[in-house]
Amino acid sequence: MISALSPRTHLPAWQVLGSGAVGGLWALRLAAAGHPVTLLRRHPATAVSLHLEDGNARFSHLFPVIALADAEPSDWLLVCTKAGDTQAALAPLLPRLTAQTPLVLLQNGMGADTALIAQRPDLIILPAITTAGVYCRDADTRVQAGHGRTLIGAPSPGHHAPGHYSLGHQPLAHQSLAENVAAQWRAAGMTADAVTDINTQRWHKLAINCAINPLTARWRCRNGELLDNADALALMQQLCAEVAMVMRAEGLAATGDALFAQARAVAAQTAANTSSMLADVLAGRPTEIAFMNGYVLARAQHHGIACPVNAALLAEITALTQP
Ligand code: KPL
């Protein structure tokens, strides 16, 4: 049994946008710890009951739901939508958001924050990444298969990706907000840490996603099967070499060999997984490739670097789910 604490009004309130696998898990964990949690949805809806299974432990919670167009910002906003949906999903709430409500973006890929930052440089945006293993058993049930590790941090000032975080002279204040979030999440049972190099950490996760996800979609195989496929491994190695070049141009230490070793290790650790990209392809949903290999390509073009293997896979996988 995951002990359900009764809502404690002194705990910060969270609004969660995107209550799929990861968003649902976070909403449930925070609610179980006693935080007031509201789900934000595009359309008005009655309350939603979600269930969490973690081994033999069970927790259920009835969440209030507010339509984005009617929502007033709360203490914290957690955004777990697919990267490509971020902009449209946030649009109805954006005019009412202020720096009083930090946004935590817990999403796959990179680049979804770019347009947001350009539009609202005054907002506080804290990127986070997670390796928590969670899946939806059905529309209402989230199963936590592995706790993984979650990292959050303030992006460094002068972060040179397109779109700039508006840390101004406040990077320490933003980092302490990240520490505050990590502490709340740890208290809610997550393995979470605030880090000072979130940009590097995001790039490393991105590199792994670029090296595994499109290949599983191309061969329609589980992550581990890539390791027995010589053609897939050859492509994986080339993808890693290209991503490492772009990372170095971004000022990060990376080698193709090290990324390739990490990608193979993650494919082995997650051997039985259907990658998120293959799951999207199988369901006929748009994939997040534009925010993975597509983001790498955009940065490569900015630096004048050729990445033909990433470009070819971007075109191939994009075509798979085009109407
Ligand atoms: O993050 C993943 C994903 O599927 O998006 C990996 C690491 C490939 C695990 O499945």
Side-chain angles (χ1 to χ4, degrees), residues 108 205 208-209 212-213 223 266 270 273 275-276:
N108 264 340
K205 181 162 195 303
I208 303 298
N209 285 133
I212 295 178
N213 294 32
N223 297 354
V266 172
T270 60
N273 275 27
S275 79
S276 55

mmCIF file of all heavy atoms in Angstrom, residues 108 205 208-209 212-213 223 266 270 273 275-276, ligand 1:
data_model
loop_
_atom_site.group_PDB
_atom_site.id
_atom_site.type_symbol
_atom_site.label_atom_id
_atom_site.label_comp_id
_atom_site.label_asym_id
_atom_site.label_seq_id
_atom_site.Cartn_x
_atom_site.Cartn_y
_atom_site.Cartn_z
ATOM 1 N N ASN A 108 10.589 14.124 -23.093
ATOM 2 C CA ASN A 108 11.635 13.553 -23.944
ATOM 3 C C ASN A 108 12.116 14.597 -24.938
ATOM 4 O O ASN A 108 11.350 15.471 -25.340
ATOM 5 C CB ASN A 108 11.047 12.403 -24.773
ATOM 6 C CG ASN A 108 11.293 11.055 -24.128
ATOM 7 O OD1 ASN A 108 12.184 10.903 -23.299
ATOM 8 N ND2 ASN A 108 10.495 10.071 -24.515
ATOM 9 N N LYS A 205 21.144 12.279 -22.530
ATOM 10 C CA LYS A 205 19.908 11.500 -22.704
ATOM 11 C C LYS A 205 19.450 11.590 -24.162
ATOM 12 O O LYS A 205 19.027 10.595 -24.752
ATOM 13 C CB LYS A 205 18.812 12.007 -21.751
ATOM 14 C CG LYS A 205 17.523 11.203 -21.885
ATOM 15 C CD LYS A 205 16.608 11.370 -20.705
ATOM 16 C CE LYS A 205 15.499 10.310 -20.664
ATOM 17 N NZ LYS A 205 14.659 10.234 -21.831
ATOM 18 N N ILE A 208 21.337 9.206 -26.401
ATOM 19 C CA ILE A 208 20.863 7.816 -26.275
ATOM 20 C C ILE A 208 19.562 7.642 -27.067
ATOM 21 O O ILE A 208 19.387 6.668 -27.794
ATOM 22 C CB ILE A 208 20.605 7.463 -24.779
ATOM 23 C CG1 ILE A 208 21.865 7.669 -23.937
ATOM 24 C CG2 ILE A 208 20.054 6.051 -24.630
ATOM 25 C CD1 ILE A 208 23.030 6.814 -24.314
ATOM 26 N N ASN A 209 18.654 8.611 -26.924
ATOM 27 C CA ASN A 209 17.380 8.526 -27.653
ATOM 28 C C ASN A 209 17.613 8.564 -29.169
ATOM 29 O O ASN A 209 16.958 7.840 -29.914
ATOM 30 C CB ASN A 209 16.436 9.665 -27.250
ATOM 31 C CG ASN A 209 15.820 9.444 -25.882
ATOM 32 O OD1 ASN A 209 15.802 10.332 -25.057
ATOM 33 N ND2 ASN A 209 15.315 8.253 -25.623
ATOM 34 N N ILE A 212 18.935 5.052 -30.219
ATOM 35 C CA ILE A 212 18.096 3.852 -30.042
ATOM 36 C C ILE A 212 16.737 4.010 -30.719
ATOM 37 O O ILE A 212 16.301 3.151 -31.489
ATOM 38 C CB ILE A 212 17.900 3.538 -28.530
ATOM 39 C CG1 ILE A 212 19.242 3.157 -27.899
ATOM 40 C CG2 ILE A 212 16.873 2.422 -28.335
ATOM 41 C CD1 ILE A 212 19.163 2.864 -26.399
ATOM 42 N N ASN A 213 16.045 5.116 -30.404
ATOM 43 C CA ASN A 213 14.628 5.208 -30.778
ATOM 44 C C ASN A 213 14.359 5.044 -32.280
ATOM 45 O O ASN A 213 13.511 4.227 -32.658
ATOM 46 C CB ASN A 213 14.023 6.513 -30.258
ATOM 47 C CG ASN A 213 13.987 6.546 -28.741
ATOM 48 O OD1 ASN A 213 14.856 5.982 -28.085
ATOM 49 N ND2 ASN A 213 12.988 7.183 -28.158
ATOM 50 N N ASN A 223 14.159 -2.720 -27.776
ATOM 51 C CA ASN A 223 15.483 -2.083 -27.667
ATOM 52 C C ASN A 223 16.620 -3.113 -27.735
ATOM 53 O O ASN A 223 17.613 -2.916 -28.425
ATOM 54 C CB ASN A 223 15.601 -1.299 -26.356
ATOM 55 C CG ASN A 223 14.622 -0.154 -26.281
ATOM 56 O OD1 ASN A 223 13.918 0.132 -27.254
ATOM 57 N ND2 ASN A 223 14.551 0.519 -25.140
ATOM 58 N N VAL A 266 22.427 1.051 -22.530
ATOM 59 C CA VAL A 266 21.002 1.352 -22.257
ATOM 60 C C VAL A 266 20.109 0.369 -23.025
ATOM 61 O O VAL A 266 19.099 -0.107 -22.493
ATOM 62 C CB VAL A 266 20.669 2.823 -22.602
ATOM 63 C CG1 VAL A 266 19.170 3.085 -22.511
ATOM 64 C CG2 VAL A 266 21.419 3.771 -21.668
ATOM 65 N N THR A 270 17.465 -1.922 -21.098
ATOM 66 C CA THR A 270 16.034 -1.763 -21.395
ATOM 67 C C THR A 270 15.635 -2.729 -22.520
ATOM 68 O O THR A 270 14.749 -2.426 -23.330
ATOM 69 C CB THR A 270 15.728 -0.307 -21.825
ATOM 70 O OG1 THR A 270 16.491 0.000 -23.015
ATOM 71 C CG2 THR A 270 16.077 0.705 -20.754
ATOM 72 N N ASN A 273 12.086 -3.323 -23.532
ATOM 73 C CA ASN A 273 11.225 -2.143 -23.785
ATOM 74 C C ASN A 273 10.832 -2.000 -25.246
ATOM 75 O O ASN A 273 11.659 -2.203 -26.140
ATOM 76 C CB ASN A 273 11.998 -0.842 -23.486
ATOM 77 C CG ASN A 273 11.945 -0.460 -22.049
ATOM 78 O OD1 ASN A 273 11.797 -1.313 -21.195
ATOM 79 N ND2 ASN A 273 12.091 0.834 -21.787
ATOM 80 N N SER A 275 10.447 1.030 -27.397
ATOM 81 C CA SER A 275 10.837 2.441 -27.213
ATOM 82 C C SER A 275 9.615 3.336 -27.415
ATOM 83 O O SER A 275 8.646 2.949 -28.071
ATOM 84 C CB SER A 275 11.931 2.837 -28.206
ATOM 85 O OG SER A 275 11.354 3.091 -29.473
ATOM 86 N N SER A 276 9.700 4.551 -26.871
ATOM 87 C CA SER A 276 8.565 5.471 -27.010
ATOM 88 C C SER A 276 8.297 5.763 -28.493
ATOM 89 O O SER A 276 7.154 5.943 -28.900
ATOM 90 C CB SER A 276 8.842 6.766 -26.238
ATOM 91 O OG SER A 276 10.064 7.329 -26.656
HETATM 92 O O1 KPL B 1 13.945 6.762 -23.358
HETATM 93 C C1 KPL B 1 13.753 5.787 -24.038
HETATM 94 C C2 KPL B 1 12.540 5.815 -24.908
HETATM 95 O O2 KPL B 1 11.988 4.770 -25.238
HETATM 96 O O3 KPL B 1 12.119 6.945 -25.248
HETATM 97 C C3 KPL B 1 14.713 4.619 -24.041
HETATM 98 C C4 KPL B 1 15.954 5.003 -23.262
HETATM 99 C C5 KPL B 1 15.120 4.255 -25.461
HETATM 100 C C6 KPL B 1 14.142 3.434 -23.334
HETATM 101 O O4 KPL B 1 13.106 2.817 -24.018
#
